[in-house]
Structures are given as structure tokens and as C-alpha cells.
Amino acid sequence: MRKKIAVFASGSGTNFQQICEYFQSSDKAQVDILIVNKENAYVRERAKALGIEQRYFTREDFYNSNKIVDLLTLRGTDLIVLAGFLWLVPQNLLAAFPNKIVNIHPALLPAYGGKGMYGHHVHQAVIAARESKSGITIHYVNEQYDRGDIIFQAECNLTDQDTVETLEEKIHLLEKEHYPKVIDSIL
């Protein structure tokens, strides 16, 4: 029986799509459901095109109920993957899925992590600090932003010519190359 992955996303869904496509022909696992917290997130269009079931939930549902825990437990979810999901995961979800929630961060943690450090904000900080390297960190999720145990990191070099946009492109390439494979190895 194939293991079931629930993907949580808030945005456009490029990582979601790459993960779905990676596991489409897998005998080991499948993306079972997309969970979104923004009604108009473009990731919902990607899910529709890929034939993946999706559910929208509110902040109230997420933080003050067991609706998400109950749904994922009922579905037999084996792993929760955050893919551009910006809310802190609540304690009830962490308790129900211990060491079964992973996230990808667009920097080499522990640097450039924490509340407010996502997407272009991270890249701006890395460029402003004139770093020679950046990269991605795949980590387990705990009760603090970007503080869970690190599973995997990959890096890229930066030059004086790099901009937020060129760094973002380098990071997207690392995400595409590594995130689905690391998820596969966790399962």
C-alpha cells in the first residue's frame, strides 16, 4: 500500500507540483491531499489540474479545533509536507504527527530563519549581508519557526552580481532537485 502524503501550502505551489509529479509513478507513496489556508492560492489550480483532492481551512479551524488532525488521521496520512506554508504548526498537529511533519526553508538554517523570514525576505537578508553561500534546509517541524532538527541541506555559491531574483532562481533549482528525493528517503 502506498504511503500517503498531505501537502500544506499557501502560495503558487511550484514545490507542491514538483512533489506531486515526482510521486505520480511511485509505488511507495502518493500525494493524497492538499491543505490550503488561502482561498485564492494558485496552488489550488495546480491541485485541480493534477487531480489531487484539496481542502481549505481557516485560522480558526487550524488553531482552535481538531478538524485538520481528524481529517488527516481518518485519511491515514503518513507524512505532512509543508511547501510554502507560512503558519506556525499548532501543538495538536505536532502531537498527532510526531517527526512526521517536514518543511523546506530557502536558506542555510539556523541563519536567516524565524518568523517573517520566508521567500524574498530571506533572499534580501542574505544579499544584504553579502554572504558567499546560501541554500536550502529541509527540517522536521516543531513548535518554533525553522528550529526543528535538520534533515538535509544543499548550498549554492553567490557572487557580487547576484540579486534577490537570481538567488531565488538558484534556490528554486535546489528545491526542485532535492525536496522530492528527501521526502522519498524519509518515507
Side-chain angles (χ1 to χ4, degrees), residues 92-103:
N92 66 332
L93 199 52
L94 292 169
F97 294 92
N99 291 321
K100 296 202 181 300
I101 307 174
V102 297
N103 184 42

Side-chain angles (χ1 to χ4, degrees), residues 51-86:
I52 304 292
E53 186 176 337
Q54 57 180 288
R55 297 279 176 92
Y56 162 76
F57 60 89
T58 65
R59 184 173 281 278
E60 177 71 19
D61 292 338
F62 195 57
Y63 288 110
N64 299 317
S65 81
N66 277 321
K67 289 180 182 179
I68 306 302
V69 170
D70 293 346
L71 171 69
L72 298 181
T73 302
L74 185 66
R75 295 180 78 86
T77 299
D78 295 291
L79 186 70
I80 297 170
V81 173
L82 308 186
F85 184 76
L86 303 180

Side-chain angles (χ1 to χ4, degrees), residues 5-150:
I5 302 167
V7 178
F8 286 38
S10 301
S12 72
T14 53
N15 276 327
F16 166 76
Q17 183 162 345
Q18 290 161 359
I19 293 163
C20 288
E21 290 172 353
Y22 179 90
F23 285 102
Q24 273 178 336
S25 59
S26 171
D27 293 334
K28 186 195 268 185
Q30 67 188 33
V31 174
D32 179 59
I33 191 168
L34 169 68
I35 303 291
V36 296
N37 61 344
K38 291 185 178 176
E39 281 190 275
N40 61 349
Y42 186 74
V43 68
R44 299 186 79 183
E45 295 302 317
R46 294 180 194 269
K48 199 178 301 177
L50 291 164
I52 304 292
E53 186 176 337
Q54 57 180 288
R55 297 279 176 92
Y56 162 76
F57 60 89
T58 65
R59 184 173 281 278
E60 177 71 19
D61 292 338
F62 195 57
Y63 288 110
N64 299 317
S65 81
N66 277 321
K67 289 180 182 179
I68 306 302
V69 170
D70 293 346
L71 171 69
L72 298 181
T73 302
L74 185 66
R75 295 180 78 86
T77 299
D78 295 291
L79 186 70
I80 297 170
V81 173
L82 308 186
F85 184 76
L86 303 180
W87 288 357
L88 190 64
V89 175
Q91 190 59 45
N92 66 332
L93 199 52
L94 292 169
F97 294 92
N99 291 321
K100 296 202 181 300
I101 307 174
V102 297
N103 184 42
I104 189 165
H105 185 75
L108 298 171
L109 292 175
Y112 306 103
K115 187 171 175 62
M117 291 302 276
Y118 61 91
H120 71 278
H121 301 289
V122 174
H123 307 317
Q124 285 172 335
V126 168
I127 296 284
R130 304 183 61 76
E131 296 285 358
S132 62
K133 293 184 184 304
S134 190
I136 60 167
T137 302
I138 300 167
H139 63 92
Y140 288 107
V141 174
N142 67 13
E143 59 282 340
Q144 296 178 294
Y145 283 109
D146 305 321
R147 295 289 176 99
D149 291 340
I150 293 172

